[in-house]
Amino acid sequence: MIVTLIIICEVGFWVLLAAGLALRYWAKMPRASVAVLLCEPLLEVLLLVVTAIDLKNGAEPDWKHGLAAVYIGYSVALGHYTIKWVDVRVAHRFAGGPAPTTPKYGAARAVHEWKLAARWVLAALIAMALLQGAAWYVGGDGETASLRMWQQRMLWLIGINVAIAATYTLFPKKAPAAAAGKEREEVPSRRRPA
């Protein structure tokens, strides 16, 4: 039942997102769009409540409960970012909005990667807190090994994201020579006129 609900929540997320953006850009109803997009967190609340009820009714915690915690963590930490990411692209493609920009080189790219890593770290910490809450909820008598396994996976997720961001800091990606030459041309020369 939990896996089915996770799938329903994921599909619901994208259906609500599509409906919200359709209301905003095609129906020209921005307030209705905001109302629909504000329904997104209700999916996570529903999943959290159903997971807690499932555990309360004596279900042994297993990978499904851990996956529910991870999904909730992702949705809380990265849900808004995902909505904005899609919104900018839909606005550009269908409503004449500005092209999406993501820094590609140097310090700007490193900052972008650290911000993204921070979101993933937050998602992992939320998931770990929910997993710990579930372990306490089940108590010492219940089997919590699968919940602990998910917590370890979240530590790996944190490590991977910090490592990726660190590589962009330590080894910044340089602009191609053509782009660098173009930038040099745009900078006025400081030589004195002859």
Side-chain angles (χ1 to χ4, degrees), residues 18-32:
L21 294 176
L23 285 169
R24 178 175 295 165
Y25 296 111
W26 290 297
K28 305 294 184 207
M29 300 171 64
R31 288 186 180 176

Side-chain angles (χ1 to χ4, degrees), residues 46-72:
L46 173 68
L47 181 58
L48 182 62
V49 168
V50 170
T51 302
I53 290 170
D54 191 42
L55 290 171
K56 175 109 173 126
N57 289 338
E60 283 293 319
D62 60 10
W63 67 271
K64 297 175 286 219
H65 299 97
L67 183 60
V70 171
Y71 179 80
I72 292 168

Side-chain angles (χ1 to χ4, degrees), residues 38-191:
L38 286 175
C39 291
E40 298 273 6
L42 297 176
L43 297 171
E44 284 71 47
V45 171
L46 173 68
L47 181 58
L48 182 62
V49 168
V50 170
T51 302
I53 290 170
D54 191 42
L55 290 171
K56 175 109 173 126
N57 289 338
E60 283 293 319
D62 60 10
W63 67 271
K64 297 175 286 219
H65 299 97
L67 183 60
V70 171
Y71 179 80
I72 292 168
Y74 172 86
S75 296
V76 169
L78 286 134
H80 182 69
Y81 175 79
T82 303
I83 291 170
K84 282 177 56 177
W85 188 89
V86 172
D87 185 26
V88 167
R89 281 148 182 80
V90 169
H92 174 66
R93 177 92 166 123
F94 299 108
T101 58
T102 302
K104 295 181 181 179
Y105 308 108
R109 180 59 187 244
V111 168
H112 171 76
E113 291 298 329
W114 278 110
K115 287 179 179 178
L116 195 57
R119 288 183 179 98
W120 278 104
V121 168
L122 179 60
L125 291 174
I126 291 169
M128 290 172 70
L130 290 171
L131 291 163
Q132 187 59 47
W136 288 336
Y137 188 66
V138 170
D141 299 336
E143 177 58 45
T144 59
S146 66
L147 301 177
R148 302 286 180 219
M149 179 193 65
W150 277 103
Q151 285 181 318
Q152 291 172 354
R153 288 180 180 169
M154 294 301 95
L155 289 173
W156 276 101
L157 181 68
I158 289 170
I160 289 168
N161 279 281
V162 168
I164 289 170
T167 60
Y168 278 94
T169 302
L170 298 174
F171 310 105
K173 190 173 180 185
K174 292 182 173 47
K182 187 176 180 181
E183 287 175 8
R184 265 189 251 116
E185 289 172 10
E186 292 172 2
V187 176
S189 174
R190 298 194 177 188
R191 295 187 315 191

